[in-house]
Amino acid sequence: MNSYIYLSLAIVSEVIATSLLPVTMGFSRLLPSIGCGVGYGAAFYFLSLATNTIPTHVAYAIWCGAGIVLITMLGIFMGKMPNLDTIFGMILIVIGVALINMNTPNLH
């Protein structure tokens, strides 16, 4: 399986787990807490598979950057609009991830 598919699964798992965090109510609610733990466990598992061929610094930058952007987009969908500083910060994150990818040798 392609390492970028593993990385995508890691990102989706992390976004799901992070989305569940508020619902856990400080990990006092069992089912959301289990879902959160499974989500983070899956995220790290798939991230570890992705780093078999993708350099760790590249995989981690993509994982973090995509997670931040997707969580913010989910927040927008839920009616929580970010301020201009947040939007500017996310643009800088995307630019940083792009720069890291551009300066990393091709992975085949």
Side-chain angles (χ1 to χ4, degrees):
M1 190 177 260
N2 187 333
S3 291
Y4 283 96
I5 292 173
Y6 287 135
L7 184 55
S8 297
L9 291 170
I11 292 165
V12 169
S13 299
E14 187 263 338
V15 168
I16 290 169
T18 301
S19 298
L20 287 174
L21 274 175
V23 184
T24 68
M25 305 293 282
F27 292 102
S28 64
R29 297 184 60 213
L30 183 62
L31 289 179
S33 298
I34 290 171
C36 189
V38 168
Y40 281 124
F44 282 107
Y45 173 73
F46 289 123
L47 184 62
S48 74
L49 294 177
T51 58
N52 285 332
T53 56
I54 303 171
T56 303
H57 70 282
V58 173
Y60 192 68
I62 294 169
W63 183 60
C64 291
I68 291 167
V69 171
L70 289 172
I71 287 293
T72 303
M73 289 172 61
L74 281 174
I76 292 169
F77 181 72
M78 304 299 270
K80 299 176 185 174
M81 288 301 294
N83 60 31
L84 288 178
D85 291 340
T86 301
I87 293 169
F88 182 66
M90 287 192 322
I91 290 169
L92 291 175
I93 290 168
V94 170
I95 291 169
V97 170
L99 287 172
I100 290 169
N101 280 303
M102 287 178 3
N103 291 305
T104 301
N106 261 347
L107 306 168
H108 296 292

